[in-house]
Amino acid sequence: MNNTNGMFFYLEVPEKGFDRNYILKFIIISKLQAMITTTTLSIRDAIVAANKNFMQTFAQGDAASLANLYTQDAQIFPTHSDLIGTRQGIKEFWSAIFRLNISQATLETQEVESHGNTAIEVGKYLLSDRNGQMVDKGKYIVVWKQENGQWRLHRDMWNSSLPV
């Protein structure tokens, strides 16, 4: 049975037929679950930090630096557009966005699921112009990939929540 806050467990172990391996297995499984949770949280923190860097770079209007936040073989899937699959194409896409006077991107991570050297992020975005007026809002999914020890956008797909 557990205590009121669910943090500690008390195991009743019979004197006869006591299986010491059961306790050992319980401890190992508990430790593994804690390690997985810690790893997922640290990857989430890394993704949130990478998004912060993305937002700051976006605010500077630097399309080349923004494109460099993506993997070498990245692809983006913008709303109402074809797939763009080169860093040069990604740079040109963001340059076009900046020419529309869109100057601020706000990203809000909803969930992160890790898979080795990749992670999947689901979130919401908000785009604003130089006057702070909302231009677009929607949702996104990013497949992140660790490249040279750094989390980079590998597949970036978003679509608007605004009516057409």
Side-chain angles (χ1 to χ4, degrees):
M1 85 176 63
N2 63 346
N3 71 352
T4 56
N5 68 10
M7 298 295 290
F8 301 101
F9 295 90
Y10 171 75
L11 295 175
E12 292 186 32
V13 180
E15 290 185 28
K16 290 187 177 182
F18 172 68
D19 184 2
R20 293 181 191 273
N21 288 330
Y22 173 77
I23 298 289
L24 183 58
K25 289 175 191 174
F26 178 79
I27 291 170
I28 290 171
I29 289 170
S30 296
K31 293 292 182 187
L32 287 173
Q33 287 174 334
M35 288 170 50
I36 290 167
T37 301
T38 301
T39 301
T40 301
L41 288 176
S42 62
I43 291 172
R44 180 186 175 88
D45 292 344
I47 299 300
V48 168
N51 277 338
K52 184 176 181 182
N53 186 30
F54 184 97
M55 290 184 283
Q56 290 170 342
T57 305
F58 193 99
Q60 295 167 357
D62 186 348
S65 293
L66 207 56
N68 286 330
L69 299 177
Y70 289 82
T71 62
Q72 287 293 331
D73 57 343
Q75 295 176 341
I76 63 173
F77 305 82
T79 299
H80 307 298
S81 180
D82 291 330
L83 173 145
I84 300 170
T86 65
R87 269 202 183 161
Q88 181 61 33
I90 292 169
K91 175 186 168 192
E92 291 169 8
F93 173 82
W94 290 119
S95 290
I97 294 297
F98 296 139
R99 285 194 301 275
L100 295 172
N101 292 322
I102 299 172
S103 61
Q104 184 177 359
T106 303
L107 305 175
E108 182 184 329
T109 301
Q110 301 293 302
E111 62 183 73
V112 173
E113 183 179 309
S114 64
H115 301 275
N117 71 337
T118 62
I120 300 167
E121 176 196 14
V122 175
K124 296 179 188 177
Y125 72 87
L126 178 72
L127 299 177
S128 303
D129 65 15
R130 288 189 172 94
N131 297 321
Q133 295 296 311
M134 183 202 53
V135 175
D136 190 21
K137 68 177 182 174
K139 56 269 179 205
Y140 65 87
I141 294 179
V142 174
V143 176
W144 292 85
K145 189 173 186 181
Q146 241 183 347
E147 193 175 76
N148 300 322
Q150 191 172 26
W151 285 101
R152 296 184 180 276
L153 296 101
H154 184 58
R155 301 290 184 261
D156 189 3
M157 178 183 284
W158 65 93
N159 59 47
S160 179
S161 293
L162 297 180
V164 180

